[in-house]
Amino acid sequence: MLSEFDIIRCYFSRPAPGAVLGVGDDAALIKPARGMEVAVSTDMLVAGRHFFADADPRKLGYKSLAVNLSDMAAMGARPRWATLSLALPEPMVRTDEKWLEAFADGFFGLAHAHQVDLVGGDTTCGPLTISVTILGEVAKGKALRRSGARPGDDIWISGHLGDAALALAHEQRRIVLEPGEIMECLPALHTPAARVGLGQRLIGLAASAIDISDGLLADLGHILKCSKVAAVVKMGDIRCSASMKRHLPQPLAIECLLAGGDDYELCFTAPRARRKTIETLSLEQEIPLTRIGRIREGGGLVVLDAAGNTITLETKGYDHFHV
Ligand code: ADP
Ligand code: MG
């Protein structure tokens, strides 16, 4: 059976050219470039809570980093270093080296694509849990925050929303998707694209930003709270896939679109005067950027349907302590 040290050496020790010192000592050493500050964020994935225990390990490796890259994107930071903490069930370590190999493959594939170095972590025995900490660089004082939205700002989202939640609802047998719909929605659930390049380009353009991990309503809600403003959103302006369109306006589809979570798109606000620049950025980055509403004075979030009626939802978004 592999020891803790075998696991680290075989699967998680790779050169870290962007660090002063990588895996192998009591701590890694990193040095941000001059004029930059360090953005740090952690996300934990727990088997049975965030993923099925028998999930494809390669996709799991990918996603455990992707969700963290998405947090860097939301701050406008360039991701540079990561640590990885793993709790692995003993039977898995004893019998399933393929799992570790595939997991590492998925993780490092995405890390390499973003020039992120794995510089440390922790490995222990326990119920399957994956915790990644990411560190990135952002120019001093320039990071995008949740607190910058101002009345009159447009509200924008990248990409389209709801497919990951639709795919999950299908896997939980709460909805039945056709084979073509599964093909369209499943990648959003298992291999989300973190909007890392876009996030960095939004510095100086966006007034506030957040990544949509717990559903649009919940995450836009965080911007509103932190910025002490209100918002009106038109549901019909939210970009969605052909599969989603086919299931709207079923209540479950509306819930997936507005409160589903796992989208890993960016929601940001920007003054009206930035519209042209943001539209050009959308073409340049080849990522749809869509205006879905407006920031107002006051508090609270109103979502309108095509007829101008207010939509009310039972759930506002994913909350790990109320499910
Ligand atoms: P310590 O006992 O000082 O905490 P460990 O024996 O836990 O050190 O880890 C040895 C080295 O391996 C450290 O540099 C640590 O950061 C790294 N490491 C441990 N687990 C992982 C992992 N899953 N991925 C990457 N690096 C890891
Ligand atoms: Mg340790």
Side-chain angles (χ1 to χ4, degrees), residues 126-274:
L128 182 58
T129 304
I130 305 156
S131 176
V132 173
T133 296
I134 188 117
L135 300 106
E137 286 181 334
V138 59
K140 265 191 187 126
K142 299 284 188 214
L144 305 173
R145 300 185 187 204
R146 297 177 177 185
S147 54
R150 298 291 171 260
D153 278 3
D154 293 318
I155 301 167
W156 296 81
I157 53 166
S158 66
H160 59 265
L161 302 186
D163 281 359
L166 265 190
L168 181 64
H170 174 82
E171 291 197 343
Q172 295 170 329
R173 302 179 202 287
R174 294 162 64 216
I175 196 171
V176 178
L177 300 184
E178 287 167 14
E181 296 174 337
I182 298 169
M183 288 259 289
E184 187 175 35
C185 295
L186 216 52
L189 180 62
H190 293 309
T191 48
R195 301 303 192 184
V196 172
L198 174 65
Q200 290 167 70
R201 294 298 311 276
L202 287 176
I203 292 227
L205 280 178
S208 67
I210 192 167
D211 71 315
I212 307 175
S213 54
D214 296 329
L216 174 68
L217 297 192
D219 288 319
L220 176 55
H222 293 314
I223 286 189
L224 303 183
K225 266 224 174 78
C226 293
S227 303
K228 300 188 175 69
V229 290
V232 180
V233 164
K234 287 192 192 157
M235 191 174 76
D237 289 346
I238 301 171
R239 187 180 280 265
C240 57
S241 68
S243 303
M244 175 62 84
K245 279 190 189 130
R246 242 172 279 132
H247 290 273
L248 286 172
Q250 266 187 70
L252 182 66
I254 293 180
E255 191 185 307
C256 287
L257 181 66
L258 297 178
D262 257 2
D263 293 300
Y264 302 105
E265 294 293 348
L266 296 182
C267 174
F268 59 96
T269 75
R272 249 185 111 92
R274 303 270 196 245

Side-chain angles (χ1 to χ4, degrees), residues 4 121-123:
E4 174 189 339
D122 203 18
T123 306

